[in-house]
Amino acid sequence: MATEFTKFTPYVPKKGEEYMSAKQLGHFRKILEGWKGELSQDIDGTIHAMQEDATLFADPNDRASQESDMALELRNRDRERKLIKKIDETIAKIENKDYGYCEGCGVEIGLKRLEARPTATLCIDCKTLDEFRERQVAR
């Protein structure tokens, strides 16, 4: 399962380089497109594997085990499908030059945070507050 894409060289900005320059946007677009490609391959591979492994077992325990495995695999793929949608939304932000800025307060999210989570929409401070609020509501 490719929920993280780590096959890239970290971006090293040049001294005085403007935040979210064309080179930086291109760097993140490449990361996102590579990640999306990996996820798409995983989904396609799962579909083919499930079609090939569709065996009817006579033993009810074997059948239940196979169904459980398939259900887990489908849940994982559904999660990845949602991630692909989020990646597409992020690529659209890059095209609109809205990428890299916090949706909560408008400050720069930061290159390191975006490389760790290219689909991040909140700066670390806003994300921390958001998680704190979630914990408070959950109680």
Side-chain angles (χ1 to χ4, degrees), residues 28-29 32 83-96 98-100 114 117-121:
F28 287 107
R29 177 185 212 103
L32 289 161
L83 181 54
I84 287 174
K85 183 179 178 202
K86 191 167 186 178
I87 290 170
D88 286 337
E89 291 168 359
T90 305
I91 290 172
K93 282 184 164 195
I94 289 174
E95 290 171 359
N96 295 330
D98 292 332
Y99 182 71
L114 289 171
R117 192 66 170 163
T119 57
T121 58

Side-chain angles (χ1 to χ4, degrees), residues 24-138:
Q24 290 176 13
L25 290 172
H27 171 74
F28 287 107
R29 177 185 212 103
K30 183 178 174 185
I31 290 172
L32 289 161
E33 288 173 349
W35 194 12
K36 180 181 174 182
E38 251 187 42
L39 291 168
S40 295
Q41 283 181 335
D42 287 352
I43 290 171
D44 291 343
T46 298
I47 292 169
H48 294 300
M50 290 178 94
Q51 289 171 343
E52 291 173 5
D53 293 345
T55 308
L56 292 175
F57 291 104
D59 181 30
N61 291 326
D62 289 340
R63 191 168 42 246
S65 179
Q66 180 188 35
E67 288 174 10
S68 176
D69 290 347
M70 284 186 172
L72 178 64
E73 196 67 32
L74 287 172
R75 273 197 308 272
N76 288 337
R77 295 305 163 230
D78 187 53
R79 197 174 310 125
E80 289 179 349
R81 182 189 53 77
K82 290 176 185 173
L83 181 54
I84 287 174
K85 183 179 178 202
K86 191 167 186 178
I87 290 170
D88 286 337
E89 291 168 359
T90 305
I91 290 172
K93 282 184 164 195
I94 289 174
E95 290 171 359
N96 295 330
K97 300 200 179 357
D98 292 332
Y99 182 71
Y101 297 93
C102 179
E103 290 180 354
C105 65
V107 302
E108 298 174 357
I109 293 175
L111 297 177
K112 297 287 185 198
R113 174 157 168 69
L114 289 171
E115 284 183 338
R117 192 66 170 163
T119 57
T121 58
L122 299 173
C123 68
I124 197 70
D125 293 335
C126 288
K127 183 63 177 172
T128 302
L129 282 172
D130 194 43
E131 289 173 354
F132 180 73
R133 285 186 202 116
E134 283 179 18
R135 282 193 300 271
Q136 293 299 317
V137 172

Side-chain angles (χ1 to χ4, degrees), residues 14-25:
K14 293 186 175 37
K15 189 172 184 169
E17 182 177 354
E18 185 180 333
Y19 182 72
M20 284 302 129
S21 64
K23 284 180 101 175
Q24 290 176 13
L25 290 172

